[in-house]
Amino acid sequence: MRIVSLLPSATEIICGLGLRDSLVGVTHECDYPADVLGLPVVTMSRIPKGLSSAEIDAMVNSQLETDSALYSLKTDVLEALAPDLIVTQALCDVCAVSADEVNAIACQLPGEVEVVNLEPTCLNDVLDTVLLVGNAAGCTEVAHQYHAGLKRRVEAVAARSATIAKENRPRVAILEWVDPLFDGGHWYPELIELAGGTPCFGDRHGPSRRRNWSDLLAAAPEVLLVALCGFNLHRTVQDLPLLTNQPDYVMLPAAQTGQVYAVDGNRYFSRPGPGLVDSLEILANLLHPNTHPLPGGLAPAMCISNEEWS
């Protein structure tokens, strides 16, 4: 089978199923696992490199208002790869090629091409995409084993968190963007609860939303985690002053107690794939390090001090 992935999270799933050798094409954003680098790239972005966060937000809004796609397929590359299976999504117009475009082009490719569309809005949905991709790729048994292993890790975190008293569960907010502010929706509130926190900023199973500073102040998070969508930790660090230099930043309980952190949002949290289990374990260790030891191979969230980023 020849598989093309149009999502970084799908690429991770495909490789986790042991199908790396069947993967023949990926997106320009697929960077994990490392051995997918160098595969033919079948997408391109209309967002130029080097833009500020505010400029990216403005361009995204402009494109979406005119129904212009943010990403497009390299049709000639895709045709040359002759895939049997294409894995894509229709959950977020900002995150991938339009599902309509994918389906239209798939109909023009030679042979019978199956298109699998992933639309998870919660953690269980994300884990179930492993089964969906596995079934489509003909490795159902392996998919169930992989799925069960991920579920066991989630259940282990949940079991440890169940021992934490309600009064010891801090109010937690996760930011997906800082200029402007975006909260973390979909699976973010669920991850916070599983990790032993109380979500206070973001809608469960709903999309991330643009928010005002007054909203964040009203939420009064005791722990604030910056996990910028599509940005690695190095790029996130560049944007931290946009947060910490806000006049009202010092009014946040998390800022007053030094409980503001940053992580690689590109690798963790924003990608709806197996990496969300890693994200849960990182978050749990951040909130309750004595209850949740950090598994080997995972880096802890980086603490931000007011002095360092002001």
Side-chain angles (χ1 to χ4, degrees), residues 61-196:
N61 286 331
S62 175
Q63 295 274 11
L64 294 179
E65 286 174 1
T66 59
D67 291 326
S68 299
L70 295 170
Y71 302 98
S72 60
L73 284 170
K74 297 180 178 179
T75 307
D76 56 339
V77 177
L78 188 60
E79 289 177 348
L81 293 175
D84 304 299
L85 174 64
I86 299 174
V87 185
T88 186
Q89 66 96 38
L91 178 68
C92 175
D93 291 333
V94 179
C95 298
V97 178
S98 160
D100 290 340
E101 181 182 358
V102 175
N103 289 323
I105 292 177
C107 292
Q108 301 172 18
L109 296 175
E112 293 189 10
V113 182
E114 182 176 3
V115 177
V116 172
N117 182 38
L118 310 181
E119 295 188 73
T121 60
C122 66
L123 183 57
N124 273 337
D125 286 352
V126 170
L127 298 183
D128 286 346
T129 60
V130 170
L131 302 177
L132 186 61
V133 174
N135 289 338
C139 57
T140 302
E141 184 176 347
V142 172
H144 277 278
Q145 293 172 356
Y146 187 24
H147 177 269
L150 294 171
K151 289 279 286 186
R152 282 193 295 270
R153 290 169 59 191
V154 172
E155 290 166 356
V157 172
R160 292 193 298 268
S161 290
T163 66
I164 300 169
K166 184 176 180 179
E167 60 269 21
N168 293 328
R169 294 171 175 260
R171 294 172 57 82
V172 182
I174 299 178
L175 298 181
E176 201 170 56
W177 205 252
V178 293
D179 190 20
L181 286 180
F182 271 80
D183 61 21
H186 291 312
W187 44 83
Y188 287 84
E190 185 180 4
L191 292 180
I192 292 169
E193 286 189 347
L194 286 168

Side-chain angles (χ1 to χ4, degrees), residues 195-259:
T198 301
C200 65
F201 200 61
D203 296 331
R204 180 187 296 270
H205 304 172
S208 299
R209 294 189 296 137
R210 184 169 181 162
R211 304 293 288 267
N212 296 319
W213 259 91
S214 59
D215 298 327
L216 185 58
L217 289 172
E222 297 167 297
V223 177
L224 182 62
L225 179 63
V226 182
L228 303 186
C229 182
F231 283 180
N232 61 21
L233 187 58
H234 176 76
R235 180 62 181 82
T236 298
V237 165
Q238 297 177 33
D239 272 17
L240 289 179
L242 298 172
L243 174 72
T244 61
N245 287 346
Q246 288 287 333
D248 292 333
Y249 173 75
V250 295
M251 302 298 293
L252 297 171
Q256 294 171 358
T257 59
Q259 294 290 301

